[in-house]
Amino acid sequence: MVNDTRWLNEVTWDDQGLIPVIAQDAATGDVLMFAWMNREALSRTVESGEAVYWSRSRRKIWHKGEESGHVQKVIEIRLDCDGDVILLKVEQQGGIACHTGRRSCFFTRLHDGSQWQVQEPVLKDPKDIYK
């Protein structure tokens, strides 16, 4: 394991010390979810090989799948050209990334420019996922 963390200084953190993160299925390219990371979350993601995020609502580190078992195994980490967005290419364990029990958090589509329509089914009832 490399202890040199200077690479973290090349990330453009916002004024709250966060960076937006997109989680993408490494095999299909589908966008699974959007979240935030702080320095600790990004460091822990690199160290563990599993996605670790910062929950703005709970104001704490959040290891994806810690309750649900739907861990994201990180295949690759990319930083955009401005250094202010991270793309995680992941293997989504259990096939469910969204807390609603769906494969992706982006399950709603704007139809005819006038109404939102759900496009993906619930794969598992959240009551059965979160105890």
Side-chain angles (χ1 to χ4, degrees):
M1 177 200 278
V2 178
N3 290 328
D4 186 355
T5 57
R6 288 179 289 188
W7 58 272
L8 284 166
N9 296 330
E10 296 177 41
V11 174
T12 304
W13 306 97
D14 72 8
D15 58 357
Q16 296 174 11
L18 302 174
I19 188 167
V21 182
I22 300 164
Q24 178 184 45
D25 186 295
T28 66
D30 292 345
V31 174
L32 300 176
M33 57 177 278
F34 170 85
W36 296 90
M37 285 184 176
N38 61 10
R39 287 177 75 93
E40 180 184 355
L42 182 53
S43 293
R44 288 177 55 179
T45 296
V46 170
E47 290 169 12
S48 70
E50 295 180 349
V52 177
Y53 300 107
W54 173 257
S55 171
R56 293 185 309 160
S57 61
R58 293 177 283 174
R59 306 210 39 84
K60 70 175 194 163
I61 292 289
W62 158 49
H63 181 185
K64 175 69 175 155
E66 65 191 5
E67 290 182 40
S68 66
H70 300 141
V71 172
Q72 291 175 340
K73 182 179 179 216
V74 177
I75 306 303
E76 188 175 337
I77 301 175
R78 293 191 179 211
L79 186 63
D80 83 329
C81 57
D82 294 323
D84 62 359
V85 178
I86 288 178
L87 174 66
L88 293 184
K89 294 190 177 199
V90 302
E91 281 181 9
Q92 179 64 59
Q93 305 301 305
I96 297 173
C98 186
H99 74 281
T100 65
R102 292 177 173 88
R103 180 180 182 316
S104 168
C105 293
F106 296 94
F107 58 85
T108 306
R109 177 177 69 104
L110 186 61
H111 181 71
D112 290 335
S114 63
Q115 63 181 355
W116 295 103
Q117 291 184 343
V118 173
Q119 299 296 302
E120 290 186 22
V122 172
L123 301 176
K124 190 169 186 180
D125 189 323
K127 289 182 279 212
D128 296 331
I129 296 172
Y130 303 100
K131 307 275 186 236

